[in-house]
Amino acid sequence: MNILEIDQLSLSFGGVKALEDVSLRVPKDTITTIIGPNGAGKTSLFNCISGFYKPQQGRITYQGKPLDGLRPPKRAGLGLARTFQNIALFRGMTVLDNIKLGAHVHMKTGLLGSLVYFGRARREEMAVREEVERRIIDFLEIDHIRRQPVANLPYGLQKRVELARALAMKPEVLMLDEPVAGMNREEKEDMARFILDIREEWGITILMVEHDMGMVMDISDHIAVLNFGKVIAEGDPGTVQKNPDVIKAYLGNSDIESLRRKLNPNREAA
Amino acid sequence: MRIGDAKQTYVADEAIWTTSTQKFWFSILLLGLLIFPLLANSYLLYLGCLVGIAVISTTGLNILTGFTGLISLGQAGFMGVGAYTVAWLSTNTGLPFPITLLLAGLMAAAVGFLVGLPSLRVKGLYLAIATLAASVFLHFIFAEWESVTGGMEGLSLEPAHLFGVTFRSDFAMYFLIVPLAVLAVLAARNLFRTRIGRAFIAIRDRDISAEILGIPLLRYKLMSFALSSFYAGVAGGLFAYFYRVVTPESFPLTMSIFYLAAVIVGGMGNLLGGILGAAFMTLVPEALKLLTAALTPFFPNAPVFMSPMLEIIFGALIVGFLIFEPHGLAEIWRRVRRFFHLWPFRS
Ligand SMILES: Nc1ncnc2c1ncn2[C@@H]1O[C@H](COP(=O)(O)OP(=O)(O)OP(=O)(O)O)[C@@H](O)[C@H]1O
Ligand SMILES: [Mg+2]
């Protein structure tokens, strides 16, 4: 069963066609990865799914229902969580507060309860704190930084906190935009392990954009290749790797960065 | 030197005062507030009441501007709504103060809600202009809707009362205003350790991420406007009971700027900063007046020279703050505290 289906989506900014007739299936309980050179439209596709961009054509179906016209907060409430390519944490807040914000949609305390902080409001805060500690902070091994403001943390840890915040939403589908970009090898291995565990133990479907071919080929069940806004190939890692169009897309353009990534997938990030 | 405790439970860890030192100082503060009116002369009592009212209104504006990131120049207007509500209700219905103040807050909240409507589309300076326009409009209503507001003459009212007790003197008003100010700050403190307050801060810091977490921007911005105006309405209601006369000139535009300055000088998004800012903005002009009086015996024409200077000195002080301590009085306070925490070991 497909938890998310994208049908013939087209999106353009002025003359730039960011997405053209893109169709994609995300089977439930898989790790589905979108790859493609810089500027291929991967992040734009995520933004369409989140509801930030309005595609001119096509439709997105989530759990059998169309998402058209729903604002981003509504989509979040339905179980779509994501992280951003350039980390979008609340930098002044502590790690703990950032993660608690992830639980926002599952909490009920209203304005009056918040002001009084008594009875149900207080119990709810405690329950969330307890759950965040037990299920997320321990799991992602970030106990030692829970009180620190996010702005002071190294990049790799910030990425982990952003993942923690998305997990606190208890999503059905978790969208990760370049989860290991800029990480060293050890951090990448940790992240890959977390992603696999999230799929296995939490039963969350993962939709990921990633440039690191080593990791993509290792952990993906299903891969779609985007080039100039079009899907040029789809399938399991083995099939996609051998596809001549894919090789051409990566070798045939002058994008040095993606070429280098392709040729040397396990390169440590500078 | 204070040593950190290991936190035993989440309940203790999430409490407002996590160490006994903090509890101790808070008790001392409450005790001080209780003893102050017994020792203070009438002038100091008067100032104490003014600071109390300013603290409530500044805390309200801090919720909106400091914590939610929405600039407003409407605070004086919202206070006016609260003041007129109290004045009208107490004259026409004779209701006791808990009810009139509550209604003053709710009325101001309703107006704040409407004024907040453009905030989804406009931000920053544009929002400041939109709230400024609302403020001018409210002033117009205060002056022109004579059957209700008494026009330029305004309304005068009886002192606050409850169960036959009236709050006539500044001494009595102090015991009405200061407890409410303490409650107002504590409620705000609670707000920012729960879901709604976190959502406000999230909207201020990064509204796109807030949306992705399921926080609908308009609803929360309006909530912040309404709550902030509720605080202003209660402060305005207390203002009405304190002066017992309300006119359109009681809430001039400069008053809105005064409150914005209090939030900025104190430290945006810091409740303690709001309190310090409110005290600073209320007391410094008074201190400058006292200084003038003290100089007069030595320089007989000090008043002539000083009175136009007061505003300039006051303005220069604010600008000086912004330049030398952009994080406000709260930051200075934090440094002082840090010094004492570490004291024998490092200074
Ligand atoms: N808000 C926007 N306004 C105008 N053009 C945009 C906008 N967002 C994306 N684009 C354009 O759409 C195209 C696709 O961009 P997108 O960010 O989706 O690429 P990407 O595949 O995520 O690339 P990368 O690997 O570098 O992250 C680019 O040409 C980009 O300039
Ligand atoms: Mg991208």
Side-chain angles (χ1 to χ4, degrees), chain A residues 95-230:
Chain A
V95 168
L96 197 54
D97 278 343
N98 265 282
I99 302 173
K100 280 180 183 168
L101 262 163
H104 183 88
V105 285
H106 298 291
M107 300 175 77
K108 295 192 178 62
T109 304
L111 184 57
L112 214 55
S114 280
L115 291 166
V116 182
Y117 194 72
F118 196 72
R120 218 189 65 186
R122 185 189 164 101
R123 277 198 302 278
E124 187 178 64
E125 283 295 324
M126 289 309 136
V128 164
R129 172 78 195 272
E130 200 268 335
E131 188 176 352
V132 161
E133 291 281 347
R134 184 170 45 83
R135 295 194 59 193
I136 297 171
I137 293 193
D138 282 356
F139 168 60
L140 294 177
E141 298 156 20
I142 45 181
D143 320 48
H144 55 298
I145 53 166
R146 59 159 83 77
R147 285 279 167 214
Q148 291 191 30
V150 167
N152 299 349
L153 298 175
Y155 185 80
L157 275 180
Q158 291 197 16
K159 284 243 164 202
R160 212 182 275 193
V161 175
E162 205 187 14
L163 176 64
R165 188 179 69 184
L167 281 178
M169 295 172 73
K170 298 189 219 161
E172 303 278 334
V173 175
L174 177 58
M175 299 192 280
L176 305 170
D177 199 346
E178 307 204 5
V180 302
M183 287 188 172
N184 63 34
R185 181 187 300 247
E186 195 186 331
E187 288 172 326
K188 280 183 187 178
E189 282 168 2
D190 283 342
M191 188 56 85
R193 180 165 52 86
F194 292 140
I195 293 173
L196 285 169
D197 283 352
I198 290 167
R199 199 263 314 258
E200 289 306 321
E201 288 168 26
W202 300 49
I204 294 174
T205 306
I206 305 229
L207 176 61
M208 174 171 84
V209 165
E210 187 46 67
H211 280 298
D212 185 297
M213 287 307 149
M215 164 160 162
V216 169
M217 297 304 163
D218 272 356
I219 71 170
S220 309
D221 302 305
H222 185 76
I223 297 175
V225 189
L226 213 56
N227 192 25
F228 290 115
K230 289 185 186 152

Side-chain angles (χ1 to χ4, degrees), chain A residues 11-14 16-19 34-47 53 85 177-178 209 211 226 229 255 261:
Chain A
L11 171 77
S12 52
F13 298 102
V16 181
K17 283 183 181 158
L19 296 172
I34 303 168
I35 61 172
N38 293 107
K42 305 178 295 295
T43 301
S44 299
L45 180 59
F46 268 25
N47 282 336
Y53 291 171
Q85 186 169 349
D177 199 346
E178 307 204 5
V209 165
H211 280 298
L226 213 56
D255 184 349
R261 280 195 185 104

